Amino acid sequence: MPADSLETIANLSKRRGFVFPASEIYGGLRSSWDYGPLGAELLRNIRDAWWTTMVRDRDDVVGLDSSIIQSRQVWVASGHEESFTDPLVECTNCNVRSRLDKLEDPEECPSCGKRGTFTEVRDFNLLLKTFLGPVEDDAALTYLRPETAQGIFINFENVRRSSRLRLPFGIAQIGKSFRNEITPGQFVFRTREFEQMEMEFFCRPDEVEHWYQYWLDARMQWYLDLGMHPDRVRMRAHQPEELAHYAAAASDVEYLFPWGWDELEGVANRTDFDLRAHTESSGEDLRYYDQEADERFFPYVIEPAAGVTRSAFAFLIDAYQEEEVRAETRVVLKLHPKLAPIKVAVLPLSKKDDLIEVTQRVAKQLRSHWAIEVDVTQSIGRRYRRQDEIGTPYCVTIDFDTLEDQAVTVRERDTMEQDRLPIQGLVSYLIDKFGDRL
Ligand code: ATP
């Protein structure tokens, strides 16, 4: 059973150093979170896994790293300034604001339980405003990007020309986005600052159905390949009334969170909406020129848009297990080795100098291959418990016999099986054990 409550993951995250509340010493800020040493590694591993699959392993997708702050005109043209809104209602009894489209019962306030106390619905714009330069006036106004996608569209011609790309091709980007969410919450699920992994795949308009289906399948497979329980991820097609202002079709990859199915990633057919809008607004012709047919046209776009921080949360929930071991509860994160923050822990049985010396030697060998941790504190039982809880696939124990036989014990996280082997063969043993899972 994966974790059945958000608190279980939030507590483990705080205790072990995955996620801390932002500004905690000042009372916390519900809408932001800070990632600790292990969280930083986990996010990095998620980004790397995505980048490898979406960019490095393909010859039709390239990367980009565009600015968070762009000209305000970008957000005017894209329609965000006008239409990037959520329906907001406020309860006249308790003054708590809610997002109408997320309420189970549109008449009932989720905070105080009163019925019929909502104000008229108002469209609330989610763009986070900022001012460039010393004067805070309308001319200096712009926004922190609410999606990374627009950075890709406005660079379409720069990337196409410099990389000499022909349709179909994609441009991928990972980075922070900001939305002034009405109701942030559910731990890191919905925050005002978050990180996205987005790819815009440009194709001929008559091939868009094929690529839509292709990316739906590919994106689902990515989560399964990283070990997510197949019965806890699903694809759900949007109803026409759910579609964003730019989309002709969309589906969500959904995960079974402790509160029910919810979005992990959106895959949308954005048509030629964005390239057309930026061409009209900027006057730069962003059409694609097909030399063979001697024609110019706006490519269509399929966009898989995922969340780094949101999927970190889902991977943590999914990996969490409690097991009975010798009448005790063992908490273990069965994270895929690619995602595990620490791949191997090195644990000397004592702090005696000669053991520490061997430990350092072993650690040095391993460090050139993997993210490792040396832990010399507490009893070996407690150290195993910590490594299980943070999802470390292998622990290498160095004991007094090691000094005699130059051998160590390797313990595997999921089976808890132990192998004794010479230090000399340790790296190749682990390479073999990880197989192609790294
Ligand atoms: P919702 O309707 O739930 O507000 P959305 O459908 O507008 O979200 P998208 O614009 O499709 O979300 O964003 C793509 C992905 O970016 C989401 O699937 C999610 O993983 C991530 N994401 C979006 N908003 C947030 C947020 N506020 N906090 C964390 N991750 C987010």
Side-chain angles (χ1 to χ4, degrees):
M1 252 314 275
D4 55 5
S5 91
L6 179 160
E7 286 74 26
T8 309
I9 295 300
N11 291 341
L12 184 143
S13 293
K14 170 101 198 284
R15 190 170 66 248
R16 295 304 191 189
F18 282 94
V19 186
F20 307 126
S23 305
E24 190 180 17
I25 61 169
Y26 293 102
L29 190 67
R30 208 162 50 103
S31 58
S32 301
W33 296 83
D34 295 339
Y35 289 78
L38 299 178
E41 293 285 345
L42 175 61
L43 295 180
R44 198 173 254 273
N45 293 341
I46 290 172
R47 286 184 211 115
D48 285 351
W50 188 87
W51 196 263
T52 301
T53 306
M54 301 296 278
V55 183
R56 294 251 168 96
D57 282 354
R58 306 184 60 98
D59 53 19
D60 57 355
V61 179
V62 295
L64 180 74
D65 200 334
S66 70
S67 281
I68 287 171
I69 297 173
Q70 302 279 356
S71 160
R72 178 180 171 186
Q73 286 312 308
V74 172
W75 310 109
V76 174
S78 67
H80 284 82
E81 195 177 270
E82 177 74 28
S83 320
F84 194 55
T85 57
D86 278 339
L88 166 76
V89 287
E90 187 171 334
C91 174
T92 50
N93 180 51
C94 69
N95 297 104
V96 166
R97 297 185 180 121
S98 299
R99 212 175 122 176
L100 189 62
D101 60 325
K102 294 282 176 188
L103 290 180
E104 257 169 52
D105 179 343
E107 289 298 318
E108 185 180 309
C109 172
S111 179
C112 69
K114 282 254 160 72
R115 296 183 64 81
T117 52
F118 285 138
T119 53
E120 283 283 294
V121 55
R122 168 160 87 82
D123 282 336
F124 176 76
N125 194 295
L126 302 179
L127 290 171
L128 219 74
K129 289 189 177 121
T130 192
F131 297 93
L132 301 182
V135 186
E136 291 193 7
D137 64 8
D138 220 39
L141 171 69
T142 191
Y143 309 100
L144 301 185
R145 70 179 174 201
E147 59 173 30
T148 66
Q150 294 307 320
I152 296 176
F153 294 123
I154 59 176
N155 278 294
F156 172 75
E157 190 52 20
N158 281 336
V159 176
R160 188 202 62 75
R161 196 179 307 136
S162 57
S163 303
R164 293 164 294 130
L165 292 161
R166 298 242 181 130
L167 289 183
F169 68 86
I171 306 176
Q173 156 149 258
I174 298 178
K176 292 250 177 159
S177 293
F178 303 81
R179 297 180 187 179
N180 202 5
E181 298 281 359
I182 296 169
T183 47
Q186 287 150 313
F187 195 40
V188 300
F189 180 82
R190 191 181 300 286
T191 48
R192 295 197 172 115
E193 171 178 345
F194 55 98
E195 199 173 337
Q196 293 186 302
M197 311 180 275
E198 299 193 294
M199 197 271 287
E200 308 304 318
F201 195 80
F202 301 93
C203 66
R204 302 185 149 275
D206 59 0
E207 289 177 354
V208 77
E209 289 306 322
H210 162 77
W211 287 110
Y212 181 56
Q213 191 54 48
Y214 174 91
W215 286 110
L216 290 183
D217 297 343
R219 292 308 306 149
M220 185 71 170
Q221 197 56 44
W222 187 79
Y223 293 97
L224 299 176
D225 288 347
L226 286 172
M228 249 182 205
H229 289 94
D231 53 342
R232 299 180 68 87
V233 240
R234 71 175 188 194
M235 190 63 83
R236 185 186 66 83
H238 278 206
Q239 300 300 316
E241 65 273 13
E242 283 180 84
L243 292 175
H245 64 271
Y246 49 74
S251 296
D252 289 344
V253 180
E254 293 189 330
Y255 183 74
L256 190 52
F257 285 94
W259 57 89
W261 290 99
D262 218 331
E263 176 176 340
L264 201 50
E265 166 165 354
V267 182
N269 171 358
R270 290 182 82 127
T271 69
D272 58 1
F273 178 88
D274 303 272
L275 289 179
R276 196 180 274 282
H278 287 302
T279 297
E280 281 164 14
S281 175
S282 69
E284 292 288 325
D285 187 356
L286 298 179
R287 284 177 303 170
Y288 176 84
Y289 177 59
D290 182 333
Q291 257 172 343
E292 274 148 48
D294 189 27
E295 56 170 358
R296 263 178 215 286
F297 61 91
F298 286 111
Y300 267 41
V301 176
I302 301 300
E303 171 195 77
V308 181
T309 40
R310 191 176 286 184
S311 59
F313 184 25
F315 280 120
L316 285 175
I317 294 170
D318 202 66
Y320 184 93
Q321 302 278 321
E322 287 180 18
E323 297 174 352
E324 286 302 310
V325 179
R326 279 177 247 110
E328 274 193 43
T329 305
R330 172 174 97 117
V331 172
V332 52
L333 281 188
K334 294 194 169 174
L335 284 170
H336 189 285
K338 257 192 195 137
L339 301 182
I342 306 291
K343 313 297 185 213
V344 189
V346 188
L347 315 173
L349 265 196
S350 118
K351 286 188 206 164
K352 292 234 162 63
D353 283 352
D354 35 4
L355 280 197
I356 295 296
E357 198 189 309
V358 186
T359 301
Q360 295 303 352
R361 187 152 47 85
V362 170
K364 189 163 177 233
Q365 276 183 21
L366 300 178
R367 203 167 259 140
S368 58
H369 296 270
W370 304 289
I372 68 151
E373 185 173 282
V374 174
D375 187 359
V376 299
T377 60
Q378 302 181 316
S379 72
I380 191 72
R382 292 179 85 145
R383 280 183 276 165
Y384 279 150
R385 223 170 301 152
R386 169 183 156 81
Q387 296 303 332
D388 285 345
E389 267 201 345
I390 67 174
T392 306
Y394 295 98
C395 289
V396 175
T397 309
I398 290 159
D399 55 30
F400 290 101
D401 289 341
T402 306
L403 299 174
E404 307 300 321
D405 63 2
Q406 297 296 308
V408 292
T409 304
V410 179
R411 171 186 181 270
E412 204 268 334
R413 176 192 72 197
D414 298 348
T415 59
M416 291 184 287
E417 273 170 15
Q418 307 202 354
D419 267 347
R420 182 106 186 145
L421 58 133
I423 292 174
Q424 245 191 354
L426 182 59
V427 166
S428 56
Y429 171 91
L430 288 170
I431 287 175
D432 201 44
K433 282 282 181 186
F434 281 125
D436 55 9
R437 292 178 303 150
L438 275 187

